[in-house]
Amino acid sequence: PLTLIRRQLEQSAEVKQKTAEACAPGIARAAELLVDTFRGGGRLLLCGNGGSAADCQHLAAEFVNGLDPRMPRPALGALALTTDTSFLTANANDFGFDHVFERQVEAHGRKGDALLAITTSGNSANVLRALERSRSQGMVSVLLTGEGGGKAAGLADVVIQVPSADAQRIQEAHIT
């Protein structure tokens, strides 16, 4: 078991090192885009599925709450589109799961807002539709994805592609 544990931790560290080398410029561009969004009075909407949905909730909470009580700052408007179970289940039941994020972007997104979309494959239909809707509404977008970027890579203003095809390693790098 110790060998397996070490190997898993080393693989995670290796992907994060490669991410640091390959993605730092994109991360800086995404940070600038989000800073501009918040300074302009815009909000951040976040979407993703499964573990990426959990990451959306975590990140939205940190934007609103803050990370360090020793460094107080105003709350930043962020909303995880993954949290309204009544809407998600009603919309998925009535119209299909491919529309759940698109519909929320339509309702909550405005010009001057940003969308942070997370999909390890880059091919989640509901995330693709959310990116398309955000663009049509004059929003800016950041995509966190994996190697290759999938179909989503061509839909976002800033694309951060973790250099891995392993979903668990991609998700570890995304949350970092």
Side-chain angles (χ1 to χ4, degrees):
L2 290 179
T3 302
L4 177 62
I5 291 168
R6 284 188 187 108
R7 186 176 48 197
Q8 292 291 319
L9 290 169
E10 289 166 356
Q11 288 172 355
S12 180
E14 182 181 333
V15 168
K16 287 179 186 168
Q17 182 61 44
K18 289 179 181 177
T19 299
E21 294 166 10
C23 298
I27 293 168
R29 283 194 307 278
E32 290 170 4
L33 188 144
L34 295 180
V35 165
D36 290 346
T37 296
F38 290 129
R39 284 189 176 150
R43 294 188 317 159
L44 174 62
L45 307 181
L46 301 95
C47 68
N49 298 293
S52 298
D55 289 346
C56 289
Q57 290 173 236
H58 180 184
L59 292 170
E62 300 297 2
F63 279 110
V64 174
N65 185 53
L67 289 169
D68 188 343
R70 296 168 297 170
M71 298 175 62
R73 62 158 173 77
L76 302 172
L79 174 66
L81 303 179
T82 58
T83 59
D84 186 344
T85 55
S86 295
F87 168 77
L88 291 171
T89 57
N91 189 265
N93 183 63
D94 295 346
F95 302 102
F97 199 66
D98 290 355
H99 303 276
V100 295
F101 300 137
E102 173 188 25
R103 187 71 168 178
Q104 290 179 92
V105 169
E106 179 184 358
H108 301 297
R110 302 286 177 263
K111 185 176 177 141
D113 290 344
L115 176 70
L116 176 60
I118 307 176
T119 167
T120 58
S121 70
N123 293 315
S124 301
N126 55 6
V127 173
L128 295 172
R129 294 176 82 98
L131 284 163
E132 290 167 347
R133 172 61 73 169
S134 71
R135 179 168 283 166
S136 74
Q137 290 185 200
M139 298 169 62
V140 294
S141 59
V142 174
L143 172 66
L144 301 182
T145 191
E147 197 168 70
K151 295 175 185 173
L155 299 174
D157 296 298
V158 177
V159 179
I160 299 168
Q161 291 182 37
V162 172
S164 175
D166 184 336
Q168 66 185 343
R169 298 294 169 244
I170 296 166
Q171 287 180 329
E172 290 166 353
H174 284 172
I175 201 61
T176 301

